[in-house]
Amino acid sequence: VAVSGTQTAGAVYVGNGSNNATYTFSGGTLNAASFTVQGNGSNDPGLGNATLNNLTLNTDGNLAVGRWDLVIGGNSTVNIDGQLRSTSNGSGNGDWGRVTIQDSATVTATGGVNSGGAVFGLTLNGGTLTTPSIRASELSYASGAKMVFNGTIVVPTQDNSNFLTVDISNRAYVGNSGALFNTNGKNITITTNLNNLSGHNGTIVKSGAGTLSLWAGSGDNFDNVYYQNLSGGMTITGGTVELTSQYIRMGSVTIENGGQQNGAIVTWTE
């Protein structure tokens, strides 16, 4: 679907629940009341995706995904006045959805990223995501859904003591391109357990003023159990990283440009 110039629409539906939603939107600007990607109600993950490629999309409401995958890539700019979310209404309807942000895409979710209580995977492979919070979930069903940090710069828009929530597993993953946080003068806390993806060695990179607090573990006193478990380590180029748990194990920590680390880690050992 080629968008020519600037187009204005009401509620846009890509797929309607009885068919699939394999469409690519590219070029131009689309201003919409809302934008919904909805696959067939019997779909398993991994059957296909809708794509926004080099598109400017502005929504007054939500950008929602259900029973399908949405890839936001190229040089797309997506401004969501509502939420980037599942089509679930909170009672499980919508079942699952997955979103990937990649390339140089810029996504701003004014109302946050919200699973809506459904299975909702978010893979951050590049570009920038600006949001007050992220709520995703993990499930191994079919091709599964995960929360993956892998090269997208994540920018919080407000202080948040529970910035990241991953339902079901309380676990997020870091790929080779890293978990990149520009706290931009805000103070956020992540209590979700962070681990490298299998076979990956990505780092946490903290930039910008403000504080990133990492808290891990649930009070369990098991020997050699680490809930923040990152062989790739961490680089701090601005602001402060607070480490507030004994259950943090990382590779080397590099501090540059006046960055600061408060709290201790356990150096990575096999």
Side-chain angles (χ1 to χ4, degrees):
V1 179
V3 179
S4 178
T6 299
Q7 303 295 326
T8 300
V12 175
Y13 290 89
V14 184
N16 62 10
S18 62
N19 61 4
N20 291 326
T22 308
Y23 300 96
T24 296
F25 289 74
S26 62
T29 298
L30 176 60
N31 300 317
S34 60
F35 195 96
T36 301
V37 176
Q38 182 66 59
N40 188 290
S42 63
N43 282 349
D44 290 336
L47 294 178
N49 54 264
T51 302
L52 307 182
N53 185 47
N54 300 326
L55 176 77
T56 297
L57 173 64
N58 302 307
T59 69
D60 296 329
N62 297 329
L63 194 168
V65 183
R67 286 279 176 174
W68 205 243
D69 288 79
L70 173 65
V71 176
I72 304 172
N75 292 309
S76 293
T77 298
V78 178
N79 298 306
I80 308 160
D81 278 354
Q83 296 179 332
L84 174 61
R85 60 169 293 129
S86 164
T87 55
S88 171
N89 62 7
S91 62
N93 294 338
D95 295 322
W96 64 267
R98 299 191 302 189
V99 175
T100 298
I101 300 172
Q102 63 186 31
D103 306 323
S104 299
T106 299
V107 178
T108 300
T110 301
V113 179
N114 184 6
S115 68
V119 174
F120 191 76
L122 181 64
T123 299
L124 301 178
N125 282 341
T128 302
L129 171 62
T130 301
T131 177
S133 60
I134 297 173
R135 181 186 178 191
S137 55
E138 178 180 5
L139 190 66
S140 60
Y141 165 73
S143 297
K146 290 183 173 70
M147 176 69 238
V148 178
F149 295 96
N150 191 37
T152 298
I153 299 170
V154 178
V155 183
T157 58
Q158 64 185 35
D159 294 346
N160 194 330
S161 61
N162 191 25
F163 179 78
L164 174 64
T165 301
V166 181
D167 294 330
I168 302 173
S169 71
N170 193 39
R171 184 183 298 113
Y173 300 90
V174 180
N176 282 331
S177 295
L180 315 181
F181 296 95
N182 176 358
T183 46
N184 194 34
K186 307 303 187 221
N187 302 316
I188 63 170
T189 299
I190 293 177
T191 60
T192 300
N193 303 322
L194 300 176
N195 294 273
N196 283 120
L197 276 172
S198 177
H200 289 242
N201 197 38
T203 65
I204 295 175
V205 179
K206 160 68 173 73
S207 63
T211 298
L212 169 64
S213 297
L214 299 178
W215 185 94
S218 58
D220 298 337
N221 293 314
F222 300 128
D223 291 340
N224 300 317
V225 173
Y226 297 93
Y227 295 94
Q228 308 284 11
N229 209 3
L230 294 158
S231 60
M234 179 166 55
T235 298
I236 307 168
T237 65
T240 300
V241 173
E242 296 273 3
L243 304 168
T244 57
S245 172
Q246 62 178 309
Y247 299 106
I248 296 177
R249 182 174 74 160
M250 291 186 183
S252 62
V253 176
T254 302
I255 300 176
E256 304 172 354
N257 303 325
Q260 181 177 347
Q261 171 196 334
N262 292 336
I265 63 169
V266 176
T267 302
W268 179 271
T269 56
E270 292 293 343

